Every structure is written in structure tokens, then in C-alpha cells.
Amino acid sequence: MAWDDNVYCAVDIETTGIDPSGGDRIIEIAIVPIYKGKIVKDWIYTSLVNPKVGIQTYAQSVHKISIKDIQSAPGLEDILAVVRKYSRDTVLVFHNARFDLTFLDYAAKEVGQLPLDVYYIDTLEISKTVYGRGKKLETLAMEMGIAHKVTHRAYDDALVTANVFIKFFDMFGWERIHEFLRRWMGREY
């Protein structure tokens, strides 16, 4: 299938837990740009994030990220500036967009910024339509023969999300994939 001229950016975050309203925050982010069906390695962004909160023991064991690892990492304000830069004139791609975007919105609120206003596509939503139920990222990767593994680290998982998106785009083409295009303009808290 022919690709359009959009730049797509697969995004993944890792967090201190699963509840931003309960104080959990972003501790790692990765953005993997895709252009014309190819990952643009020179444009990839990945960073640990210092949210200035503790990391639950369980989250440390899942992500292999400790307080010591994030002490000198950029803060939420710096990370949001990067996300806003990457989201200009692009379409963001997530697996479970609501989770990542909600955390990004809480981060924006915490540093006194407006929520993100972005266009995005969710590979979880595509999988629900294609398979009749949502599939985990690692399941999709395995079924699609994607060599990269889901490790619960932002770079690896964003890379897998990018490859899953590329496979879906190649399978269904621009018109069908763009039926999944959504706009996120923040949410009420």
C-alpha cells in the first residue's frame, strides 16, 4: 500500500504506577518517527523523566528504573516541550492511547500548561476492530512476526508500537487506517 506524506510518531511512556489521579507519574518516554513506512532512526527521542515523586517497588521491578536512575533526568516541563514539538504537524501513534495521553495531560496540569491538542491513532483500537477484541502489544508483535520485544521500557515498546502500526498500515492502507484518526484535546479531571 502507498503511504501518505504524514509523519507518524509512535509514543510510549513508562510510569510509577497506573493511576495519575493518585499521584503516579511518567518516568520514561520514547518517540519513534515513521515516514513513508520506515522508522526514521535519526529522529528518535528517548529519555528518562524525573517527576519528583517516588517509584513504587513494583514499578521499579517492571521497568528496571530506580529513583537513582531518574535523579538527573529532565523534568515533566522539559518532556512536554519535546512532545509538543514532535506532535506539530504529525499524527501520534499509541497502543492504549487513553493511558498515555491521560498521563501526559496530568503532567501538563502539574506544570501549569494546557493539555495536549494532538491527532493520534491507537493500535489497540485497530486491534479491537480487526480481531473483535483488543490485543496486548506483545501479542500483536508475536502474531505479526515483529522481532523486537516488549520490555516495558519506553524505547523498546515505542519501537514495537511503530512496527505494529507499519504492519497495520501496510495491511489496510491510508484510507482505512485514517478511519482510526482521533483528536485529543485534553480531558476533564
Side-chain angles (χ1 to χ4, degrees):
M1 292 277 172
W3 280 73
D4 58 3
D5 287 328
N6 285 316
V7 173
Y8 297 88
C9 290
V11 179
D12 189 70
I13 63 169
E14 303 305 338
T15 63
T16 60
I18 61 170
D19 183 12
S21 66
D24 291 323
R25 294 295 178 263
I26 299 167
I27 55 174
E28 188 177 36
I29 187 166
I31 304 171
V32 177
I34 305 157
Y35 182 68
K36 300 268 187 201
K38 304 284 185 221
I39 292 170
V40 186
K41 292 183 181 186
D42 291 343
W43 297 351
I44 292 174
Y45 175 80
T46 185
S47 180
L48 291 171
V49 182
N50 187 345
K52 297 179 179 47
V53 299
I55 303 174
Q56 298 174 24
T57 305
Y58 177 73
Q60 287 185 49
S61 68
V62 169
H63 305 304
K64 310 291 186 262
I65 299 171
S66 70
I67 289 289
K68 184 180 176 187
D69 295 329
I70 64 171
Q71 282 177 335
S72 62
L76 294 170
E77 195 166 339
D78 298 324
I79 297 307
L80 284 166
V82 171
V83 172
R84 290 182 194 281
K85 179 180 149 195
Y86 271 87
S87 66
R88 272 189 221 119
D89 301 321
T90 68
V91 176
L92 302 182
V93 177
F94 300 91
H95 190 80
N96 194 3
R98 180 171 295 278
F99 179 85
D100 294 47
L101 287 166
T102 298
F103 268 93
L104 289 164
D105 279 353
Y106 270 85
K109 181 179 179 184
E110 189 171 310
V111 299
Q113 295 181 12
L114 293 172
L116 295 174
D117 182 353
V118 298
Y119 288 95
Y120 72 93
I121 294 174
D122 190 343
T123 58
L124 180 62
E125 183 183 355
I126 296 171
S127 77
K128 286 177 183 175
T129 301
V130 172
Y131 302 108
R133 63 183 176 85
K135 291 194 176 193
K136 290 182 173 184
L137 185 59
E138 50 266 42
T139 302
L140 288 171
M142 187 178 68
E143 290 177 357
M144 292 177 163
I146 295 168
H148 303 287
K149 301 284 183 227
V150 173
T151 62
H152 301 289
R153 291 298 302 261
Y155 172 77
D156 293 335
D157 295 0
L159 201 55
V160 172
T161 301
N163 281 287
V164 165
F165 176 71
I166 289 167
K167 294 271 188 185
F168 276 143
F169 198 108
D170 288 342
M171 286 170 25
F172 300 113
W174 182 87
E175 284 186 15
R176 182 80 170 111
I177 286 297
H178 276 251
E179 291 177 19
F180 295 97
L181 184 66
R182 306 285 180 262
R183 187 172 184 186
W184 181 274
M185 295 181 287
R187 58 181 284 193
E188 292 183 26
Y189 295 100

